[in-house]
Amino acid sequence: MAFFATGVSLVTYFYGFMNFNITKSATAVTNFMGTAFLLALFGAFLSDTYLSRFKTCVLFGCFEVVGYALLAVQAHFRQLRPFPCKDVPLSQLNQCESANKGQLAILYAGLYLVAIGTGGVKAATPPLGADQYDEKDPKEAAKLSSYFNWLMFFLTTGALFGVTFVVWISENQGWDWSFAACSIVVGLAILFLTMGKSLYRNNVSNGSPITRIMQVFVVALRNRNLPLPENEHEIHDKESRNDTEILRKTDQFRFLDRATIMRTDQNPFTSSAHGPWKLCTVTQVEETKIVVRMLPIILSTVFMNTCLAQLQTFTIQQSTTMDRKIHKFEVPGASIPAIPLLFMIILIPIYERVFIPIARKFTGIPTGIRQLQRIGVGLVLSAMSMAVAAIVEKHRKTVAIKHNMVESATPLPMSVFWLGYQYAIFGLADMFTFVGLMDFFYSESSSSMKALSTAISWSSLAIGYYTSSVVVSIVNKVSGGWLDNNNLNKDKLDYFYWLLAGLSVLNFGFYLLCASWYKYKKVDVNPEDVLLSKEAKGKIETNIV
């Protein structure tokens, strides 16, 4: 509710109240969003290495509360921000004063406290919920995919409240009240989370997964000149750590298998011969291979999130130039994303209750279709959304020219709900791709790096937002200023959308290659786990944080 509302409305806050130009507003938003998602990797590292998922949620949630509170203070006190240029004629915008260094410092301090907080929460919350399902129990494991669908449903429901209720507050009561509301609801979220503390299964930190990956590369590099034995085997005495699964050896990236070879110059009876920087287990090597195999999938989904960034920046700015009235009520421009959110709220239960059972009968797959197939459907819909966006923008500019309103700040005689077409299609794309990614990365990762794998899926969004800023800058330079007029009626935003549509098609082709190359992990059940539960083995401790 808080983060999504802030993400879709910040562009109007930057433009109308902090006096950024259109391009700088869009870039500032995408950089903020990208940083928030990228910091999920940092939150995941702490969660997997030092803290439990629960502690990570609470700690980083507090950062988020403070960040929103700081933004509320700045929005409330006039001396902490420049005189707003909102509703000033386009011809006089250059006369507006810019924010000074002190005002920018407060702004970015608040924004990036929010980014740090939401990054940690996004890294820890999904796996905290998924940890409540025992993957070794067939009944609970079958419900894991449903959990991610319903997680998306409630994320969407919260976002819908954000783009309606919170955005209405910012438009009618002021940005100070809006940011204060965000701070309060996040504080309440932390309170509700802590109320359930005694009910959760909480993970026990099992060492840094990043360190484990580095160990594999270091040992494999040290053993690079050694021949690979024909029958590598798991070093069972090293499996005394609390792994709940033993990963089966694969033939991809065989150079990493050298990390499992004991050097002949080592004394096998000394503890140093089995040190983590001298010898790795097959399971540890396969964990590393999983991460390496995931990287092309991540890269092939980045561009979809670059397109998403345009819907949260340029499309919001488009909405401010259009007729937003429904009878006597004027819809805030930042509330337009409610259209895809409504579609998703309706379609997610249909997907879960209707599509999956029908598809399961034909495919025999518990989730109906495989996660990678689901992601691919979303990428196709993303390309379609950009093409529709280009057509709608061309029509909007035609209306402006026809009514001689190119230089006018008055809303065009064109309903803002024309933007609903591109939003609705992209909402479907998000439902397929985002949920598919979370399910894919959580299911495919090893038991010791669940938070990290979830953060990897968020990093796709981060890179997409950063790429958006780069793409906008490059397009402006190469095209001679498609998006540089500070007036959408003069810009060539429709050309930009067509470019994104074409690149999305090429990106889908790249994804098909990556998906066809990927091999799903195969797990051998640890014999001890037949007799011992997760609680007894110590991997998951009930009522302990």
Side-chain angles (χ1 to χ4, degrees), residues 42 141 250 471 488:
F42 175 64
T250 60
V471 168
L488 287 180

Side-chain angles (χ1 to χ4, degrees), residues 301-312:
T301 58
V302 164
F303 197 77
M304 172 182 170
N305 296 309
T306 300
C307 298
L308 171 63
Q310 314 316 317
L311 297 184
Q312 292 183 335

Side-chain angles (χ1 to χ4, degrees), residues 314-315 318 321-322 385-403 406 412 414-415 418-419 421-422 483 488-498:
F314 287 114
T315 304
Q318 283 175 278
T321 70
M322 303 169 75
S385 174
M386 290 297 99
V388 170
I391 295 171
V392 171
E393 171 60 8
K394 178 64 176 178
H395 179 61
R396 192 195 65 81
K397 289 174 61 179
T398 300
V399 171
I401 295 171
K402 180 180 178 180
H403 292 84
V406 174
L412 301 175
M414 176 181 176
S415 174
W418 276 86
L419 301 175
Y421 293 111
Q422 64 213 56
L483 307 170
L488 287 180
N489 295 333
K490 291 183 176 180
D491 284 336
K492 294 181 173 59
L493 184 58
D494 51 335
Y495 291 3
F496 181 58
Y497 281 147
W498 278 121

Side-chain angles (χ1 to χ4, degrees), residues 475-485 490-492:
V475 168
N476 266 335
K477 291 181 180 179
V478 174
S479 65
W482 278 1
L483 307 170
D484 209 26
N485 286 311
K490 291 183 176 180
D491 284 336
K492 294 181 173 59

Side-chain angles (χ1 to χ4, degrees), residues 92-347:
Q92 300 178 23
L93 281 179
N94 292 332
Q95 301 176 17
C96 296
E97 62 176 347
S98 301
N100 60 41
K101 292 182 179 180
Q103 293 166 343
L104 290 176
I106 296 173
L107 173 67
Y108 288 125
L111 280 178
Y112 286 96
L113 276 173
V114 172
I116 292 170
T118 195
V121 170
K122 288 182 184 301
T125 304
L128 174 62
D131 284 346
Q132 310 313 308
Y133 297 88
D134 187 347
E135 291 184 277
K136 293 181 297 181
D137 185 329
K139 293 183 179 180
E140 291 193 26
K143 296 177 181 178
L144 185 60
S145 180
S146 293
Y147 158 74
F148 284 108
N149 285 327
W150 290 115
L151 173 65
M152 185 63 174
F153 176 83
F154 285 104
L155 286 174
T156 303
T157 303
L160 182 62
F161 275 102
V163 301
T164 52
F165 178 64
V166 178
V167 168
W168 179 87
I169 293 177
S170 65
E171 292 276 339
N172 295 274
Q173 304 299 319
W175 285 95
D176 50 348
W177 285 99
S178 174
F179 289 133
C182 290
S183 183
I184 292 171
V185 296
V186 175
L188 290 175
I190 298 172
L191 175 63
F192 293 151
L193 183 71
T194 55
M195 289 171 64
K197 176 183 176 182
S198 62
L199 304 176
Y200 303 144
R201 292 168 172 168
N202 291 289
N203 73 301
V204 176
S205 301
N206 196 25
S208 168
I210 296 177
T211 301
R212 289 162 59 82
I213 292 172
M214 290 176 61
Q215 289 168 349
V216 171
F217 281 104
V218 169
V219 178
L221 184 63
R222 181 182 292 124
N223 297 342
R224 62 187 180 279
N225 295 323
L226 298 180
L228 285 169
E230 295 182 0
N231 296 311
E232 293 94 348
H233 58 278
E234 183 71 86
I235 310 300
H236 290 290
D237 60 345
K238 285 174 64 65
E239 286 299 332
S240 60
R241 58 183 172 80
N242 294 326
D243 278 340
T244 59
E245 61 185 12
I246 299 177
L247 300 178
R248 195 177 305 173
K249 182 182 174 299
T250 60
D251 292 330
Q252 288 181 315
F253 310 113
R254 294 202 66 201
F255 66 92
L256 293 177
D257 293 337
R258 288 184 170 85
T260 64
I261 302 174
M262 181 179 294
R263 299 175 63 93
T264 56
D265 57 354
Q266 291 176 325
N267 185 345
F269 299 103
T270 63
S271 58
S272 62
H274 296 275
W277 295 96
K278 297 291 184 64
L279 185 65
C280 301
T281 66
V282 170
T283 291
Q284 186 177 350
V285 171
E286 291 304 318
E287 288 175 342
T288 305
K289 289 183 179 181
I290 288 173
V291 174
V292 176
R293 282 197 297 264
M294 285 178 173
L295 293 179
I297 302 296
I298 279 291
L299 293 176
S300 58
T301 58
V302 164
F303 197 77
M304 172 182 170
N305 296 309
T306 300
C307 298
L308 171 63
Q310 314 316 317
L311 297 184
Q312 292 183 335
T313 54
F314 287 114
T315 304
I316 300 297
Q317 291 170 335
Q318 283 175 278
S319 70
T320 62
T321 70
M322 303 169 75
D323 182 9
R324 293 181 278 124
K325 289 187 176 180
I326 302 178
H327 298 294
K328 295 182 179 181
F329 176 74
E330 184 174 67
V331 179
S335 292
I336 302 304
I339 297 173
L341 296 175
L342 285 170
F343 269 89
M344 293 170 69
I345 287 175
I346 295 171
L347 291 174

Side-chain angles (χ1 to χ4, degrees), residues 4 60 63 72 97 163 172 193 256 310-312 339 380 431 444 453 504 514 522:
F4 198 87
F60 281 82
F63 284 126
E97 62 176 347
V163 301
N172 295 274
L193 183 71
L256 293 177
Q310 314 316 317
L311 297 184
Q312 292 183 335
I339 297 173
V380 172
M431 183 189 77
E444 283 297 292
S453 64
S504 295
C514 297
K522 296 180 180 179

